Amino acid sequence: MYEGEFRMNHWTNGKRWLSFALAMTMLLSLLCVSASANAPSGSLEEAKASLADVTITQTYNTKPAANAVHDYRTDGSDVFVTYAAELRMTDVMAEYLTMRQTQLCKADFNVKMNVELDWLDWTAAGNQLTFTFQSTFLKPVQPAGSTAADYSFKLRNYDKETKYFTYDITATKSWIAANWKNGAVSVPMELIYFHAGDTVCGIESVPASASGAQGMFWNYTAADWVKPITLTLAGLKVRADKAATVTENTATWKTLRASGTVEGGFTYITVDVPSNVGNAAELAANKEYVKTLAFGNDADITEWKSNEVTLLLKRSSASAPVVPNPNPGGSKEPSDLNITDHFAYVIGYPDGTVRPDGSRRIVLERLVPGAQHLLLMTGSGSAMRRNHDAAGISTHGRKRMTTLFYILAYLAVIGFVATAAIKVKGYLAASPLHARWELYPVPHEGPKGSYGGSFMEETDWWTKPRHVDHLGDIKALLEEVLFLHATFTHNLKLWFRTYPFHLGLYMLMGGTIILVIAAFLRLFGMNPDGGFLTFVHNVINAISLLGMFGIIGGGIGLICRRLHDEGLRKYTTPEHFFNLGVFIVFALVGLVAWAFNPSFARLSGDFIYNLLTFNFAEINSSTFMLHMLLGFFVLIWIPMTHMGHLIFKYFTYHDIRWGDTPTDFSQKNNEKMKQALQFKVSWAADHINGQGTKTWLDIATESPKKD
C-alpha cells in the first residue's frame, strides 16, 4: 500500500468522540422515555365504582309499590301499572368522570326494561305512545332500523338550575310490538356534547358553527354526574282476557315481573386533551386515539341487572293478601357476590385494564332485590386509564413520549443510512487508483484465478472482450462473510471466538429482515395470528435466542483475547472494549426481553409493523424498549467506528483486493496518476531501492542495474 492510500476519508478521533457524545445523549433521553412510558397507569382506588345502579319502580293503581298484590275478589277488575327505570351513578364513579370529563368523548347507554307485555296492554288510545326520559348528560338516539314515523324524540325542557334535560320519546304501538324482543323494550342514549337552545347533539353531530365551543359537560361537578337518569314508560293495564284466567286456584295465579339492564360504554380520548368541540371530534374520529370501557353482555363488565318488582294477580275468597316470594325458585346468590355488603369483584389485569379475553369473565347472575350494589374492580390495574400515573405522568404525556420513541427509531435508521452513505461516498471520492503488480487469486478471473493469473497476461488483452466471473466473486465474498474463511485458515484460535460473535449478529440481522418482510405481508392483508406468520415468529424466536447467546459468548471471548494476548494488547484501545461491551449489553438486555415476553418475535414484528404504518402504539414491555434503545444506539454507532467494516467488506474485497479493472485514461485520472507518481517511496525492498528519497516516477522510469 502506498502513501496515497492513506488519504481515504477516515474520521478523526475528535469527530468520533463527538458522535459518541451525541449518540449517548440520544440513548439517555430514550432511557427516560422508556422509564416514563412504562410507569403504572392505574390504581385500585380509581376502579372502585359501579357505573350505575338500576332501580325499577312500579306504580300500581296510582300507588308506588315494589311488590304489589291485586286480588280481583276484593280490589276490582282494573289493574293499572307504570314502570320507570332509574339509573344512578355512584359517587366514586362520578368523581372519576369529573377528573376526566375533558377527555370523555362518548357515552353510549342502552336501557332495557323487561316487562311481561303479553299480559299487559297500553292505556293510551290510538297508535302513539309517549315515554319520558330525563338526564343531566344523556340524550335519546334514533334506534337502528327505525324511522321518524316509528320513533322520535323532542326536548321538552332544559332546567338551567338542575341541568336536567327532559325529553318526550314518541313511538308507535306497532313499532314497539315489532321490536319488543325477549320481553324487553330498549331505549338507546348518547352523551350530550353540545347544547345551545333547542340544539342538543352528540360529538358526531355537532354543527360546524359550534366547533370552537367547549364540551357541554366540561365544567360539571360530581353532583352533576351523579343525578339519576330516569326512563318512564307509558301507562299499562292488565289485559282483560288474561285477567279472566286467574281463578281461586293458586296454580293459576300470575306474578308479573319487571326488571332492567344497562349496556353501553364510556369512550375516552387518550392522545390529547381537546381544546374545543371541533378538536375533540377530530381526535375521537381516530380509533387509535380513543379507548372504551364497555359494559353489557360480552363486554368488559358483564351486564348490570336491576332489582325486580312483582305484581301478583290472584283471586281469593280470603281478604288477606299473599306476599309474593322475592326469590322464586329458591336460587342462591352467586359465590362472587357479598350478600351482606352487596358488592362483587371483577379482577383486573397487570397492564392496567379490566377486559374480557375469552376466559376471564365475571358474570353477575343475580343481585339481591332491593339492595344497592357496588362493583369493585380490583387487580393490578383499573378498568380505565387515569389522567396521571403514579409518577405524575399524564396520559397526554405518555402519548407524547411514545411518539418520541418512534420518532427516534426513525432517526436511528435514517442516521445509520446517512452516516454510512457519507462514509462510502467519501471513500469512493478519495480512493486511489489501483495498480495490480502482485500475483494472487482473484475469484472473478475464472480458471486463471487458481494460480493468480489475470486477463492481462494474454497477448493484446486490451483488444479482446473481457469476461468477468461475477458468480466467483459472490461465492468468495459469501464464503468470507458468512464463514470468515480467511480467519479460519490463518488464525483458528481467533476464529473460535470471533465466529460465534459474527454469527450471532447475522442471526439477529437476518431475523430482522424476515420480520420486515412479514410486516409487508401484513400490510397486504396477511393475518399476523395465522399459521404462516405464527410459524415465522416461532422460528425467529429460536434464531434470536441463539443469536444473542452467540454475541454474548463471542464478545466475551474477544475481550478476553485482547486482554491476554500480549501482541494484540499493544494495539488495543478503549474503543475496542467499548464496542464489544455495547454489543454484549445489547444482547443481554435482549435475552431478558426474550425471557419476559410471550413472543419476542411477535413483539418485534408488531414494532416494525407500527413503524411502517406510522402507528405509534404503546409498547407494554420495558425490557423490550430498553433493548430497542440500545439497538438505536448501536445502529448509529456502527458506521462511526471500525465496526463499520460490516459496511466496507464489499469495498475492501471487491474494490481493493480484487480490483483489476483497467484505468480509464481520462483527464481526471491522468491528474491522479501524476500526483501519485510524485509520492516518495519508503519501501525497504532491495529491488525497489526507494530509500525514502525516490518517487514512484523515478523507480518506474529508471533501468535496473545488472550485477
Side-chain angles (χ1 to χ4, degrees):
M1 183 179 294
Y2 55 84
E3 184 180 350
E5 295 184 27
F6 289 101
R7 299 177 60 194
M8 292 173 60
N9 189 30
H10 291 292
W11 286 32
T12 65
N13 287 335
K15 290 181 179 179
R16 190 175 289 177
W17 287 109
L18 177 61
S19 302
F20 169 72
L22 292 173
M24 285 299 296
T25 301
M26 177 178 285
L27 178 60
L28 291 173
S29 66
L30 288 173
L31 289 172
C32 295
V33 171
S34 178
S36 303
N38 288 275
S41 59
S43 68
L44 175 63
E45 287 73 24
E46 288 186 355
K48 288 182 178 179
S50 63
L51 295 179
D53 295 317
V54 186
T55 302
I56 301 297
T57 59
Q58 173 183 263
T59 302
Y60 157 69
N61 285 3
T62 71
K63 299 178 181 180
N67 298 296
V69 178
H70 184 89
D71 192 334
Y72 284 98
R73 295 287 188 185
T74 59
D75 300 326
S77 59
D78 293 326
V79 183
F80 298 95
V81 63
T82 301
Y83 295 102
E86 184 178 272
L87 200 61
R88 185 179 293 273
M89 195 122 4
T90 64
D91 293 337
V92 179
M93 185 62 195
E95 291 175 2
Y96 187 91
L97 290 175
T98 303
M99 295 173 60
R100 294 155 182 83
Q101 55 197 5
T102 54
Q103 292 176 283
L104 183 64
C105 59
K106 292 185 70 177
D108 297 304
F109 280 72
N110 205 10
V111 177
K112 294 181 179 180
M113 295 193 58
N114 305 284
V115 182
E116 296 188 58
L117 196 61
D118 56 335
W119 272 70
L120 299 169
D121 201 0
W122 305 101
T123 58
N127 195 35
Q128 298 291 326
L129 297 171
T130 300
F131 300 165
T132 303
F133 175 73
Q134 183 176 266
S135 175
T136 58
F137 63 93
L138 295 175
K139 61 174 287 290
V141 179
Q142 194 74 26
S146 67
T147 64
D150 300 322
Y151 189 104
S152 61
F153 49 87
K154 184 178 181 180
L155 179 66
R156 182 203 306 175
N157 181 56
Y158 172 67
D159 191 319
K160 293 182 179 180
E161 184 175 346
T162 64
K163 299 183 180 179
Y164 264 122
F165 294 85
T166 303
Y167 276 87
D168 288 331
I169 300 174
T170 302
T172 63
K173 291 180 180 180
S174 54
W175 185 86
I176 290 289
N179 289 274
W180 197 279
K181 300 177 181 179
N182 299 321
V185 63
S186 180
V187 178
M189 317 160 194
E190 70 174 351
L191 182 70
I192 300 172
Y193 216 85
F194 176 76
H195 165 240
D198 292 334
T199 302
V200 185
C201 52
I203 192 169
E204 295 172 344
S205 56
V206 173
S209 59
S211 61
Q214 288 193 340
M216 184 273 298
F217 53 86
W218 281 12
N219 297 316
Y220 270 24
T221 64
D224 298 321
W225 290 105
V226 80
K227 289 180 180 178
I229 304 159
T230 306
L231 170 67
T232 304
L233 297 185
L236 291 153
K237 63 180 180 180
V238 177
R239 289 168 50 183
D241 59 327
K242 290 292 186 179
T245 64
V246 178
T247 67
E248 294 184 8
N249 187 343
T250 57
T252 64
W253 293 356
K254 172 63 176 177
T255 299
L256 296 177
R257 307 185 189 283
S259 60
T261 59
V262 180
E263 62 183 12
F266 291 107
T267 302
Y268 291 86
I269 296 170
T270 61
V271 66
D272 208 342
V273 177
S275 57
N276 51 58
V277 170
N279 179 221
E282 291 177 8
L283 294 171
N286 192 332
K287 295 182 179 179
E288 179 186 340
Y289 296 156
V290 297
K291 183 176 183 178
T292 299
L293 172 68
F295 48 93
N297 291 325
D298 298 323
D300 296 335
I301 304 172
T302 307
E303 179 180 59
W304 269 268
K305 293 187 177 181
S306 72
N307 64 306
E308 184 179 82
V309 294
T310 61
L311 173 61
L312 178 65
L313 304 175
K314 61 171 290 201
R315 295 181 191 273
S316 174
S317 58
S319 58
V322 178
V323 180
N325 183 359
N327 190 15
S331 61
K332 296 181 179 180
E333 303 298 336
S335 59
D336 55 357
L337 183 67
N338 183 319
I339 300 177
T340 303
D341 301 319
H342 311 302
F343 63 82
Y345 292 91
V346 176
I347 309 301
Y349 290 72
D351 65 355
T353 62
V354 175
R355 66 186 189 278
D357 65 356
S359 61
R360 298 187 183 184
R361 296 186 180 180
I362 302 295
V363 180
L364 305 181
E365 296 177 348
R366 182 180 178 85
L367 301 180
V368 178
Q372 300 295 315
H373 304 99
L374 176 66
L375 183 72
L376 303 182
M377 292 173 282
T378 69
S380 35
S382 73
M384 292 177 285
R385 297 199 180 271
R386 57 182 183 173
N387 270 351
H388 294 80
D389 59 25
I393 307 294
S394 67
T395 303
H396 175 55
R398 287 196 306 274
K399 187 63 180 180
R400 283 184 180 274
M401 288 182 288
T402 300
T403 303
L404 175 62
F405 178 81
Y406 280 93
I407 289 174
L408 289 173
Y410 293 123
L411 292 177
V413 175
I414 294 171
F416 170 81
V417 173
T419 307
I422 291 171
K423 294 200 71 174
V424 170
K425 183 180 179 182
Y427 161 76
L428 294 176
S431 60
L433 300 173
H434 303 299
R436 189 186 176 201
W437 289 5
E438 301 86 4
L439 294 177
Y440 57 88
V442 177
H444 62 237
E445 290 288 4
K448 293 184 176 69
S450 61
Y451 59 86
S454 168
F455 69 98
M456 297 180 186
E457 67 188 61
E458 300 202 14
T459 306
D460 301 330
W461 59 266
W462 60 88
T463 64
K464 301 176 181 178
R466 186 186 177 197
H467 174 72
V468 179
D469 184 8
H470 293 295
L471 288 178
D473 268 356
I474 294 171
K475 179 184 176 184
L477 192 60
L478 289 177
E479 192 176 58
E480 177 59 31
V481 171
L482 297 180
F483 303 104
L484 305 184
H485 179 264
T487 307
F488 180 83
T489 304
H490 304 290
N491 196 338
L492 190 59
K493 285 180 69 177
L494 172 61
W495 185 88
F496 279 114
R497 292 174 172 85
T498 192
Y499 188 67
F501 180 82
H502 283 80
L503 184 62
L505 289 176
Y506 297 157
M507 285 182 171
L508 293 188
M509 288 189 294
T512 302
I513 293 171
I514 294 173
L515 289 176
V516 170
I517 296 172
F520 277 103
L521 292 177
R522 290 172 63 176
L523 286 175
F524 289 104
M526 184 168 286
N527 183 6
D529 298 314
F532 176 74
L533 289 185
T534 299
F535 170 76
V536 170
H537 290 148
N538 290 335
V539 172
I540 299 301
N541 276 329
I543 291 175
S544 301
L545 182 63
L546 294 173
M548 285 180 286
F549 273 122
I551 293 173
I552 295 168
I556 294 173
L558 290 171
I559 288 176
C560 292
R561 178 175 175 270
R562 288 188 174 275
L563 288 172
H564 298 104
D565 188 297
E566 186 175 349
L568 187 60
R569 192 163 59 239
K570 297 178 181 178
Y571 302 96
T572 299
T573 66
E575 184 186 317
H576 291 100
F577 293 118
F578 178 83
N579 291 338
L580 292 170
V582 166
F583 278 100
I584 293 171
V585 174
F586 168 72
L588 282 171
V589 176
L591 200 61
V592 176
W594 189 96
F596 284 91
N597 290 283
S599 175
F600 179 82
R602 177 60 187 274
L603 198 58
S604 303
D606 289 346
F607 175 67
I608 295 172
Y609 179 78
N610 290 339
L611 287 175
L612 293 177
T613 57
F614 300 96
N615 175 24
F616 299 166
E618 289 189 42
I619 301 170
N620 297 318
S621 173
S622 57
T623 54
F624 178 80
M625 288 189 71
L626 182 58
H627 176 65
M628 294 308 303
L629 298 175
L630 290 167
F632 297 166
F633 173 80
V634 168
L635 202 58
I636 297 172
W637 186 239
I638 282 176
M640 302 177 184
T641 69
H642 74 274
M643 304 297 286
H645 71 267
L646 173 73
I647 306 165
F648 281 90
K649 196 80 169 181
Y650 169 82
F651 299 102
T652 55
Y653 271 72
H654 183 274
D655 200 30
I656 297 177
R657 184 175 179 181
W658 301 334
D660 61 351
T661 302
T663 301
D664 178 17
F665 289 98
S666 63
Q667 182 64 32
K668 180 180 178 181
N669 284 338
N670 283 335
E671 292 299 323
K672 273 189 166 184
M673 284 187 288
K674 288 178 181 180
Q675 189 178 6
L677 288 172
Q678 297 303 317
F679 294 147
K680 298 294 178 64
V681 181
S682 58
W683 288 9
D686 292 338
H687 68 287
I688 299 295
N689 196 26
Q691 300 175 346
T693 59
K694 297 179 181 179
T695 65
W696 284 105
L697 180 61
D698 295 333
I699 294 176
T701 56
E702 71 178 8
S703 300
K705 294 180 180 180
K706 296 182 179 180
D707 293 334

